[in-house]
Amino acid sequence: AQKVTQAQTEISVVEKEDVTLDCVYETRDTTYYLFWYKQPPSGELVFLIRRNSFDEQNEISGRYSWNFQKSTSSFNFTITASQVVDSAVYFCALSESFYNQGGKLIFGQGTELSVKP
Amino acid sequence: NAGVTQTPKFRILKIGQSMTLQCTQDMNHNYMYWYRQDPGMGLKLIYYSVGAGITDKGEVPNGYNVSRSTTEDFPLRLELAAPSQTSVYFCASSYSPGGSSYEQYFGPGTRLTVT
């Protein structure tokens, strides 16, 4: 069965600290996709990144970076030099083989990040 | 280009009432989805559609119905509302060239309270 676990329910940091959000997933498919979404206090969902199961390269986008490790079924997200505007709930999500599953997303329960000035 | 739009933004229903949540996308996406988000939780899939005329159940379909008569519209119907359906509802759409999963674009959500 497919599952996404975000063990950290809440994280609080002080501005400029680095912070890592953990994501562990379970799937039997060899082809799958992993996503991170941000949900700021305003409530909308903002897409951050997509990664397919055949691409284990880490990715960096500005202050954001992602570490994908198939050996540990993890897809962790690091924010470097956090800012108050990073305060949000962050969701990790899994999508399995598209033809079988229609691209539907399985979400973790989310990590609420609070960055204090 | 409005993306994914949802109406209404907020609604209060009495137990046993019915309503339809509207969702429209103008990106010509073939796939559309309805999720619900309960407080402090991740999103759970209610129904999805792979194209006009084709729908399928997600993880939590009970108490809901959908239809997809056009590419653009994917309304969600609540029949006999119950307090357990108090939630925030998100509609999403995506495009899937070559059968790969691409990011889903989400609407702003509908906050529904059933009392």
Side-chain angles (χ1 to χ4, degrees), chain B residues 19-95:
Chain B
M19 75 165 294
T20 299
L21 281 65
Q22 301 292 346
C23 176
T24 300
Q25 54 94 6
D26 62 359
M27 296 173 282
N28 202 31
H29 286 171
N30 48 348
Y31 289 79
M32 295 188 74
Y33 310 84
W34 274 106
Y35 296 89
R36 59 177 286 174
Q37 182 181 22
D38 297 329
M41 303 293 290
L43 282 71
K44 292 187 176 180
L45 183 68
I46 306 171
Y47 270 95
Y48 69 103
S49 170
V50 302
I54 307 170
T55 62
D56 204 352
K57 295 177 181 178
E59 185 182 355
V60 289
N62 291 345
Y64 307 95
N65 276 302
V66 294
S67 59
R68 182 101 180 265
S69 56
T70 66
T71 299
E72 295 79 18
D73 300 308
F74 190 40
L76 177 71
R77 178 82 178 162
L78 278 72
E79 304 282 1
L80 299 175
S84 60
Q85 293 178 305
T86 293
S87 190
V88 180
Y89 291 83
F90 288 98
C91 180
S93 72
S94 71
Y95 180 57

Side-chain angles (χ1 to χ4, degrees), chain A residues 19-66:
Chain A
V19 57
T20 295
L21 282 59
D22 298 333
C23 172
V24 174
Y25 62 92
E26 296 176 29
T27 178
R28 292 191 184 133
D29 272 6
T30 55
T31 301
Y32 54 89
Y33 303 83
L34 295 163
F35 301 82
W36 277 94
Y37 282 85
K38 174 182 180 180
Q39 187 174 43
S42 51
E44 74 272 24
L45 283 148
V46 178
F47 165 77
L48 296 177
I49 190 171
R50 164 187 178 267
R51 174 68 73 216
N52 75 52
S53 53
F54 300 108
D55 182 3
E56 285 194 74
Q57 282 194 342
N58 292 331
E59 179 150 345
I60 299 174
S61 176
R63 295 184 297 106
Y64 295 172
S65 62
W66 291 268

Side-chain angles (χ1 to χ4, degrees), chain A residues 5-14 17-22 36 79 86-91 108-116, chain B residues 39-41:
Chain A
T5 301
Q6 294 179 256
Q8 305 149 308
T9 304
E10 296 178 13
I11 299 177
S12 182
V13 299
V14 176
E17 285 186 21
D18 298 348
V19 57
T20 295
L21 282 59
D22 298 333
W36 277 94
I79 301 174
D86 296 326
S87 296
V89 180
Y90 291 87
F91 291 101
Q109 65 270 41
T111 296
E112 183 172 4
L113 174 65
S114 176
V115 182
K116 302 193 184 305
Chain B
M41 303 293 290

